[in-house]
Amino acid sequence: MGRVTVRRPVRKLTDGGRTRRADLLAAEEPLELRVGGKALAVTMRTPGHDVELAHGFLLSEGVIASRDDVFTARYCDGVDDQGRNTYNVLDLTLAEGVAPPETGVERNFYTTSSCGVCGKAALDAVKLKTRFAPGESAFAVTTDVLAGLPEALRAQQRVFASTGGLHAAGLFRADGSLLAVREDVGRHNAVDKVLGWALLEGRVPLSDCGLLVSGRASFELVQKAAMAGIPFLAAVSAPSSLAVELAEENGMTLVGFLRGTSMNLYTGDQRVLEPAGV
């Protein structure tokens, strides 16, 4: 797993006694994203799939819409005290004719692993208009398929199984099969990584897919889904009020508290197909 995990000594206290052992932790390191050599943002993330993360981030910020909008992506500059590359600085060069991020949208330079929009200066700067129209999608899924998704996602959370410390995001088809799953200490990073994967695979807009997240559904995650044209967002935990409002505004389906056959439908009920007679 490389730098995805780190071993640290721990003293474990239980009713049966005290022991010392090594504990496996999810790695968390800063990633500085640059566009054309200019710093854009720093996010705390789990190393791995950084190029996907960068593409997904730029997609969700409305900077790019396809893989052809990025000319190159390369690591640069970042070195440790022994001169080795830390792979914590990634610079993307946009293709000719692609406008750089708007300087008028003020951002704090740093975002935490738990919040990707707290760096935005105002709500108007936070809310973005998608190039795609998720509300026009005919994508639908049965309650039986939805019920099996959390377990299917957990089965692919390899690092979570070892550390218990990561969020996950997965893209799923109408039959419940998972196209891609990504993990990260930051829920927004996990989504950016899976969206970046889709962009690099030429699958955006994702009008024929749903997005499943292992935690709560925030405003930010709904917006990222909308920016990729995803019509359906399902979360294992609760949505926020703004998440519900934004999903409704974009004509998206939002499912929360997805736990087995129990789930809450907040918006877009027409995309959730129930058995006859229910």
Side-chain angles (χ1 to χ4, degrees):
M1 294 181 185
R3 294 188 302 148
V4 176
T5 58
V6 177
R7 288 192 178 276
R8 298 286 295 184
V10 62
R11 187 184 183 197
K12 187 175 180 65
L13 309 181
T14 66
D15 291 339
R18 314 300 192 252
T19 59
R20 290 186 179 276
R21 62 180 178 84
D23 192 29
L24 198 63
L25 305 177
E28 182 176 26
E29 296 182 12
L31 176 67
E32 178 182 332
L33 295 178
R34 299 178 182 176
V35 174
K38 295 181 179 180
L40 178 63
V42 173
T43 186
M44 301 302 296
R45 98 304 188 192
T46 299
H49 303 291
D50 290 336
V51 173
E52 292 177 352
L53 190 160
H55 279 73
F57 177 79
L58 291 179
L59 170 66
S60 64
E61 289 292 309
V63 178
I64 63 176
S66 76
R67 59 188 175 189
D68 294 333
D69 289 341
V70 175
F71 181 63
T72 60
R74 64 183 181 89
Y75 289 101
C76 58
D77 285 357
V79 296
D80 60 18
D81 55 5
Q82 298 181 17
R84 296 173 300 192
N85 197 325
T86 62
Y87 297 99
N88 285 337
V89 181
L90 187 65
D91 190 7
L92 282 76
T93 301
L94 300 179
E96 185 177 354
V98 178
E102 294 183 13
T103 56
V105 179
E106 297 179 2
R107 298 178 63 89
N108 291 332
F109 187 64
Y110 170 75
T111 61
T112 70
S113 57
S114 61
C115 176
V117 299
C118 53
K120 293 287 184 103
L123 183 60
D124 287 342
V126 171
K127 186 177 288 189
L128 301 172
K129 184 174 178 59
T130 179
R131 307 185 195 200
F132 310 112
E136 297 177 1
S137 171
F139 178 82
V141 62
T142 67
T143 52
D144 287 344
V145 165
L146 285 171
L149 284 174
E151 185 176 346
L153 183 70
R154 179 63 64 87
Q156 294 197 36
Q157 290 182 249
R158 184 166 56 103
V159 183
F160 178 86
S162 302
T163 66
L166 292 180
H167 295 281
L171 293 170
F172 63 91
R173 298 186 182 93
D175 64 1
S177 57
L178 291 169
L179 283 170
V181 173
R182 294 292 182 265
E183 296 180 277
D184 200 276
V185 288
R187 60 174 59 87
H188 66 286
N189 288 335
V191 171
D192 280 341
K193 286 179 177 181
V194 82
L195 296 186
W197 171 86
L199 190 82
L200 291 168
E201 291 292 317
R203 291 179 174 269
V204 174
L206 289 160
S207 57
D208 59 346
C209 292
L211 175 65
L212 174 66
V213 294
S214 60
R216 61 185 177 87
S218 63
F219 167 92
E220 171 197 21
L221 299 192
V222 173
Q223 178 161 271
K224 287 181 180 294
M227 295 299 285
I230 297 173
F232 199 119
L233 174 60
V236 172
S237 193
S240 68
S241 61
L242 279 179
V244 174
E245 289 176 20
L246 187 63
E248 188 170 48
E249 182 180 315
N250 281 282
M252 297 167 60
T253 298
L254 179 58
V255 174
F257 292 106
L258 177 57
R259 298 167 186 178
T261 57
S262 176
M263 64 195 77
N264 289 352
L265 311 183
Y266 291 93
T267 63
D269 293 12
Q270 76 279 6
R271 293 195 183 91
V272 179
L273 308 178
E274 300 180 65
V278 175

